[in-house]
Amino acid sequence: MITTDFVPGSPCWLDLGAPDVPAAAAFYRAVLGWDYESMGEGEDMEGGMFRKDGKIVAGLGKLTEEGARSAWMIYHCVTDADATTQAVQSAGGTVRVAPMDLDEWGRMAQYSDPLGGQFAVWQPGTNKGVELVDEPGSLSWTELYTSDATAAKEFYGGVFGWQFSDTELPGGSGTYSLITPAGVPEERMHGGLMELPKESLALADGRPYWHPVFAVADCDAAVAKVTENGGSVQMGPEDAEGVGRLAVCLDSANADFVVLTPTSPS
C-alpha cells in the first residue's frame, strides 16, 4: 500500500504532461471526480493541481517537450536528489532534467533508465508530496512495463535499494515482481514490474514505461466514464485474484493509467 509518510524510494508525487490542459482537467474530473486548480493567471491553464475532496492528488502541466507523448510521470521520494543523480548515472541511466529547486517546496530531477523508461525523484522541502493516496480517486499503486525485468530490478534496486519479490501470474502468463522500499516490511509494497516483449510496448515505441494505478469505487463505472469522455480501454475490466477488478485505460490524449477496485479484505 502507498501511504503519505513517504519513506525513501516510495512514490510521493505524480504529474501529467498533457497537450491540452483544459481537456485533461475535464477528462479526469469526469472519470475520477478530481477538481482542477490552476496555478497560473487568466484562462491559459498551463498548469496546476488536481484535488480530490480538497486534498492534492496529482499535478497537471502543458506538454512542451518536442515529440513527447502525453504520459504520467511518477516521482519517488529521496533524501538527496544530487546523490540519486550520481547513482542513476553510475547504473547506466540518463539525466533528463538535472536536480533543480522549486522554490521552498523541494528539489526534483527526472531521468531515463538504461532502456529508456522515464521516472523522477522528489527531495521534499515544505511540500512532502500528494495529500491523498490509497483511497478512491487517488494513487494506490505504480507499475513498470519493461522488456527486461532482470535489468530493471538491477537498475532500480541499485538506485533506490528496492526489495523485490516475484509472483507467478495466472495461467503461466509470466512473472510479476512486487516492489517494496528499502528497510520496510512487505505490507508497504508500492508497485510492481512486469516483463513484456517490445512489440507490446508500442505505446512508448518499445521503451519501458511507468504508469499509475488509481483506486476507484467501481471499476466498470470508471471505465464507462473513460470511454464516454474520449478515452479508450486497452485491457479489461477483469478480475485479478487477490487484487481486485481492474482495467488498463488511455485518456483522451493517450496517456496510460489503470483503474482498480481493490478486493475487500475478508
Side-chain angles (χ1 to χ4, degrees), residues 83-96:
T84 302
T85 298
Q86 293 179 347
V88 166
Q89 292 174 310
S90 296
T94 303
V95 179
R96 299 183 66 249

Side-chain angles (χ1 to χ4, degrees), residues 219 237-247 259-264:
C219 179
E238 63 182 42
D239 295 319
E241 185 178 354
V243 176
R245 188 161 176 80
L246 59 86
V259 289
L260 168 68
T261 302
T263 300
S264 299

Side-chain angles (χ1 to χ4, degrees), residues 21-45:
V21 169
F27 176 87
Y28 287 96
R29 180 179 182 87
V31 174
L32 296 175
W34 288 353
D35 295 315
Y36 176 69
E37 179 182 289
S38 176
M39 301 290 284
E41 298 292 332
E43 298 297 319
D44 56 356
M45 292 181 66

